[in-house]
Amino acid sequence: MAALGCGERPGRAPGIIGLEVDARDLPRGLLHAREILPVRPGTAWLWFPKWMPGTHAPCGPVENLGGLRITLPSGATVAWRRDDEQPNRFRCEIPPDADRVVVAIDYLCNNPSVNSDGVDSFGNVDMGVVNWNTCLMYAEPPEGAAGADDAVRLRAQIRLPDGWGRTCAIDSMPDDDGSLHLQECSLAELIDAPLLAGVNLHSVAISDGRLRVSLDMLGPAGQSLEIDDEVVAELRSLVREMEAEFPGPAPFAQYHLLTVLSDVIPETGLEHQRCSLNIFPVAEWNGGASSEALGQLAHEFCHAWCGKYRRPAGMVTGDYHRAEHTSLLWVYEGLDMYLGEVLSARAGIVDADGFVARVENFAEEMALQSGRAWRSVEDTAIANWQLRAPCRRWGELRRDQDYYLEGMLFWIEADAIIRTETQGARSLDDVCARFLAVEPGASPRPYTGDDVVAALTAVLPYDWRGLVESRIMRPAASPPWTSLERCGYRVDMSAKPSSSPTAIREHGFDERWSLGMSIQRGIVSAIVPGSAADRARLGPGMRVSLVDGKPLSAASLMDALTRSRTTGVVSLRCNDGHGWRDVQLAYDGGPQRLTISRSSDAPDLLAAIARPRAAAAQIPQTAILPAVDNVPVAPAPDGSLQTVP
């Protein structure tokens, strides 16, 4: 690899970082980097990036450093000491006549934490994923100076193993020695553009229209990466629906759906401005693609507008060491969840019935989170990275990252309110067209909670602040059924049969609405507080072998629940680690399942929300639509609705 010195290579220009990454050891799980870093004489604080965009967490994987050496260009050693309170921060003393240092990093790949898998680096014998934040440091700017992400410029190059191809959202040019020189960019742009490399790469042009999109795939050697025509058609339909949803300029010139197929690299999905990183097991794309995989691509793609371009002000820090304030993740992730699910349905990735079923399942899961009684959706957003790891015991009491699902339910309810109050003339699509519109100027374009309320009010005057207070800011006293009811659905309990054999194999016996427990592979996996199982002092982790004296099965469990209407009890043989014993559950309700059905006296707004827009006929510009609060509205040239003067 051509050396980065103080001469004509990337480190020469004042204030520009020169970075060379030697990735030839990626097959062994190692990266080596050499960085020419401009500094000021005196005490310098160098940061290994800590707060990583997209993860919303202080998860920069500094624990995976396998070597850190700082020298002057002359080769003289510069001693460093780690900050006692900030493990990603390093102090060193720069001599009076020095204006740059050379930072040498050895990085240990394939060691992600629960929060860092989307921003870590990975490598094996035939493929690698390089996240540039694992290969560099930056100097903490003086107090009051511009942040590090956009103010700092870089010229980076990378050397890959022989025979490996690559794809990255930043253009690159090969050198005579085989290294690749990336186009000069800001620190923010580099960290936002992971690189895929390997022996088996395949790219498909999805769209070259207003939104230029490609699907760039990386797989193991010998794995077919041919994409079914049906999958390509669904992705192209998705792009058309996105063009309808986001009618103005795009926040990118070209978008890359970076997709890795691997049974070794952990599954993940992470958004970036010009690309998304999506890692799936090989089986997810075995000749085609599952609706879940395509739905993830849609979710991360929508983040280009919702999260990357429009971003909560508290999450725009200007560097990678100041803490992000994440209380508005119910917008960043919740609204994006709505967009990903809705646009997937409109594109045909999920059919209309499947979309309704998913919304129903989301609402049911949130209703079973007993932690809603003490913890608000906003609090799950503030504590988001502490909740990322699944809770193996009593998770319903703690809650998970519920700003995703319950945030989505808020936006479905908001859409239903707008559609109902305007007799279908307006919808959340109009809010998104305004709120997520790309405008000239810097990116990201930050917003506050007041901006969110103002965007909703601009489409429909309503007590949006009160709705946010009750649904997002405060703990909930009742299940989140309002979003479904406003969409024309009703929620009841019924004695439906137990789960299908397939559902039992995948999820076990789910009796949370009856006995208040679920059992997976003979082990209690969840207990509903206040239920019969809770009153009998059962707990997660206990084993169950018999129900009413018979081996546990779907049939024996259903028989026992049916008999409970007359006996008032269900008997379980349980083992809590101290031996087997019979436990009597006082219960007389019989089989119980939550059922969600259409209300006969209300329009089906979920069907309206999922209806495709891209194929709809254009309304003539002279058409006048129904008045809203006595203000007539008509289509604007961009397809959105505007008031008629």
Side-chain angles (χ1 to χ4, degrees):
M1 182 182 293
L4 290 181
C6 297
E8 297 302 318
R9 286 296 178 181
R12 178 177 177 80
I16 295 181
I17 294 175
L19 175 67
E20 62 178 21
V21 176
D22 187 345
R24 287 175 291 180
D25 261 348
L26 259 184
R28 300 197 301 146
L30 294 171
L31 283 172
H32 312 287
R34 183 171 178 267
E35 183 181 19
I36 306 295
L37 187 60
V39 292
R40 296 171 181 266
T43 300
W45 291 99
L46 306 185
W47 281 91
F48 186 87
K50 177 182 178 181
W51 277 87
M52 299 309 304
T55 69
H56 325 310
C59 65
V62 69
E63 65 274 14
N64 293 334
L65 285 178
L68 174 62
R69 299 166 185 84
I70 303 176
T71 63
L72 298 177
S74 65
T77 297
V78 176
W80 57 264
R81 187 181 189 279
R82 192 189 303 263
D83 188 289
D84 289 315
E85 298 180 357
Q86 296 282 0
N88 291 56
R89 190 179 188 227
F90 300 81
R91 174 177 174 166
C92 52
E93 297 297 329
I94 309 301
D97 58 346
D99 62 358
R100 64 195 65 199
V101 294
V102 180
V103 179
I105 291 174
D106 296 311
Y107 188 78
L108 314 180
C109 303
N110 308 324
N111 293 291
S113 69
V114 69
N115 280 297
S116 75
D117 54 8
V119 294
D120 222 313
S121 290
F122 303 90
N124 56 48
V125 293
D126 48 17
M127 68 170 67
V129 176
V130 176
N131 272 297
W132 303 97
N133 56 281
T134 64
C135 307
L136 57 80
M137 303 181 80
Y138 65 89
E140 180 177 308
E143 189 72 26
D149 54 0
D150 284 318
V152 175
R153 305 291 295 177
L154 291 98
R155 294 174 186 161
Q157 63 187 66
I158 187 169
R159 181 76 177 269
L160 297 170
D162 292 341
W164 282 27
R166 88 288 181 184
T167 182
C168 180
I170 299 176
D171 292 336
S172 61
M173 292 291 292
D175 203 345
D176 293 339
D177 67 351
S179 59
L180 299 167
H181 292 261
L182 275 67
Q183 187 178 68
E184 182 181 314
C185 61
S186 69
L187 178 61
E189 290 169 328
L190 185 68
I191 286 180
D192 205 44
L195 178 141
L196 306 187
V199 298
N200 188 15
L201 280 163
H202 181 62
S203 183
V204 177
I206 300 301
S207 172
D208 59 1
R210 183 169 62 83
L211 299 182
R212 298 180 58 210
V213 183
S214 66
L215 174 65
D216 302 342
M217 301 193 68
L218 172 66
Q223 173 69 37
S224 173
L225 298 181
E226 292 299 319
I227 307 301
D228 286 353
D229 291 343
E230 181 180 352
V231 172
V232 174
E234 288 175 336
L235 288 174
R236 288 175 176 165
S237 178
L238 173 65
V239 172
R240 289 193 295 272
E241 290 297 336
M242 296 183 81
E243 288 178 335
E245 187 70 14
F246 309 115
F252 52 80
Q254 167 84 30
Y255 194 88
H256 300 261
L257 299 165
L258 301 180
T259 302
V260 180
L261 306 185
S262 175
D263 293 328
V264 178
I265 301 175
E267 294 180 61
T268 195
L270 196 77
E271 67 272 13
H272 298 281
Q273 186 67 78
R274 292 185 284 175
C275 66
S276 60
L277 175 61
N278 307 276
I279 303 177
F280 302 108
V282 173
E284 289 280 344
W285 287 73
N286 189 14
S290 68
S291 60
E292 289 289 339
L294 294 179
Q296 177 177 311
L297 295 184
H299 175 92
E300 304 300 349
F301 194 179
C302 289
H303 268 315
W305 289 265
C306 183
K308 297 303 294 185
Y309 176 70
R310 292 306 315 265
R311 196 179 308 173
M315 298 175 68
V316 182
T317 64
D319 55 49
Y320 301 95
H321 58 269
R322 285 182 289 180
E324 295 182 6
H325 296 172
T326 57
S327 62
L328 287 175
L329 281 176
W330 59 274
V331 184
Y332 182 122
E333 295 289 3
L335 178 56
D336 190 79
M337 188 86 180
Y338 165 93
L339 289 167
E341 293 289 334
V342 168
L343 296 183
S344 292
R346 292 175 182 174
I349 293 172
V350 177
D351 63 24
D353 290 341
F355 169 71
V356 171
R358 287 177 65 82
V359 174
E360 292 173 350
N361 288 339
F362 295 157
E364 181 176 6
E365 282 304 309
M366 291 301 96
L368 288 164
Q369 298 298 309
S370 51
R372 297 175 72 249
W374 72 270
R375 187 173 214 166
S376 67
V377 174
E378 182 190 50
D379 190 63
T380 69
I382 294 171
N384 77 91
W385 58 273
Q386 296 174 318
L387 302 176
R388 189 177 300 274
C391 186
R392 292 180 292 179
R393 299 287 188 271
W394 299 103
E396 296 83 359
L397 287 172
R398 185 197 74 169
R399 303 199 75 174
D400 291 325
Q401 293 177 310
D402 291 347
Y403 52 85
Y404 279 95
L405 298 188
E406 200 153 347
M408 176 190 174
L409 294 176
F410 169 87
W411 291 105
I412 286 178
E413 183 175 1
D415 199 350
I417 290 170
I418 296 170
R419 290 173 186 268
T420 299
E421 295 295 318
T422 65
Q423 298 85 47
R426 295 179 180 177
S427 70
L428 194 62
D429 296 319
D430 299 291
V431 177
C432 291
R434 291 170 167 83
F435 182 63
L436 301 177
V438 176
E439 299 178 353
S443 174
R445 187 158 70 92
Y447 61 83
T448 65
D450 288 342
D451 294 329
V452 176
V453 171
L456 287 161
T457 303
V459 172
L460 174 70
Y462 188 81
D463 184 18
W464 296 113
R465 195 175 302 277
L467 191 70
V468 171
E469 283 282 341
S470 64
R471 303 289 189 265
I472 303 296
M473 312 290 283
R474 295 198 297 263
S478 58
W481 303 137
T482 310
S483 57
L484 292 174
E485 292 166 349
R486 288 188 186 275
C487 287
Y489 288 76
R490 55 182 294 172
V491 180
D492 299 294
M493 300 301 297
S494 69
K496 292 179 65 176
S498 293
S499 302
S500 68
T502 299
I504 291 172
R505 283 195 301 272
E506 294 179 353
H507 307 292
F509 302 103
D510 187 354
E511 296 299 335
R512 288 176 293 176
W513 292 109
S514 56
L515 299 177
M517 63 188 299
S518 58
I519 305 171
Q520 293 182 317
R521 297 180 178 86
I523 299 175
V524 176
S525 57
I527 297 290
V528 177
S531 66
D534 187 34
R535 292 191 298 271
R537 302 193 63 77
L538 297 183
M542 290 184 177
R543 301 189 67 85
V544 178
S545 62
L546 303 178
V547 53
D548 279 4
K550 296 181 179 179
L552 176 65
S553 68
S556 64
L557 185 57
M558 176 58 69
D559 289 344
L561 288 169
T562 302
R563 282 193 299 272
S564 73
R565 291 197 179 104
T566 56
T567 64
V569 67
V570 172
S571 176
L572 299 179
R573 175 69 59 86
C574 299
N575 190 328
D576 60 2
H578 297 282
W580 293 96
R581 60 188 176 93
D582 290 324
V583 179
Q584 308 300 313
L585 279 66
Y587 177 75
D588 60 2
Q592 291 289 315
R593 290 288 184 277
L594 187 77
T595 59
I596 300 174
S597 56
R598 284 279 297 113
S599 297
S600 59
D601 57 349
D604 186 349
L605 294 186
L606 286 182
I609 290 171
R611 190 170 297 125
R613 297 180 68 209
Q618 292 295 314
I619 302 174
Q621 296 298 310
T622 56
I624 300 296
L625 300 178
V628 180
D629 293 337
N630 297 318
V631 179
V633 293
D638 64 0
S640 61
L641 294 173
Q642 62 182 11
T643 57
V644 177

